Amino acid sequence: METQERLRRIDPARLAAFQAELLRKEYSVGTAENYLRAVRAFALWSGGAVERGLVLTWKAQLTAQYAPATVNAMLAGINRFFAFMGWPECKVKALRLQRRSFRERELDREEYRTLVRTARTLGRERLALVMETICATGIRVGEVPYITVEALRRGKAVVALKGKVRTILLPEKLCKKLLK
């Protein structure tokens, strides 16, 4: 067992092979970079040694320093590396997160109207239209750039983000207002 643990090291050749595998499996460039960053951070911290006890200690230190979602992202990277290397016994569990709804409280119709009216009163017509678009379609803020003149003329926007594609139907009344 001790000999096997001595063979478990993170070195540049293994990192390069891992990177090539991620790209071969069509991971996004951003995901591959995040995974590699996590593996490099662990290697720097551990001196390149890989041992389950070290991984658990690193996880505890990360938990004390970072938000749970950040810790889980880093653990995902090293766990993927361990799977690639054939070291499943080194993998550790992610932190359990209780999902919090980002909508602790929804706006009621009057609050929404007040926000739009205030934006217009302040001369922020574009902001008012963006708020109306988000509320009328349910799109995410990051999807706003997909609401183009062409999309308005078609009555739908095709959003391609994070490897997923979805079609957003645009209400006719909103299309007319935005085109105007």
Side-chain angles (χ1 to χ4, degrees), residues 52-119:
R52 183 165 168 75
L54 283 173
V55 180
L56 290 169
T57 302
W58 189 62
K59 175 183 173 181
Q61 286 187 359
L62 291 176
T63 302
Q65 282 183 295
Y66 299 105
T70 303
V71 174
N72 283 346
M74 295 175 84
L75 294 177
I78 63 168
N79 281 339
R80 180 71 60 203
F81 177 75
F82 296 154
F84 168 72
M85 292 302 303
W87 303 335
E89 63 278 2
C90 295
K91 291 169 69 172
V92 294
K93 290 184 178 178
L95 300 178
R96 294 184 63 184
L97 301 177
Q98 183 173 355
R99 290 272 180 215
R100 283 187 302 154
S101 173
F102 70 94
R103 294 188 302 179
E104 297 283 330
R105 186 179 75 82
E106 292 183 13
L107 294 177
D108 63 30
R109 187 175 295 269
E110 194 47 47
E111 289 170 323
Y112 158 73
R113 285 184 179 147
T114 300
L115 280 174
V116 173
R117 197 172 28 246
T118 302

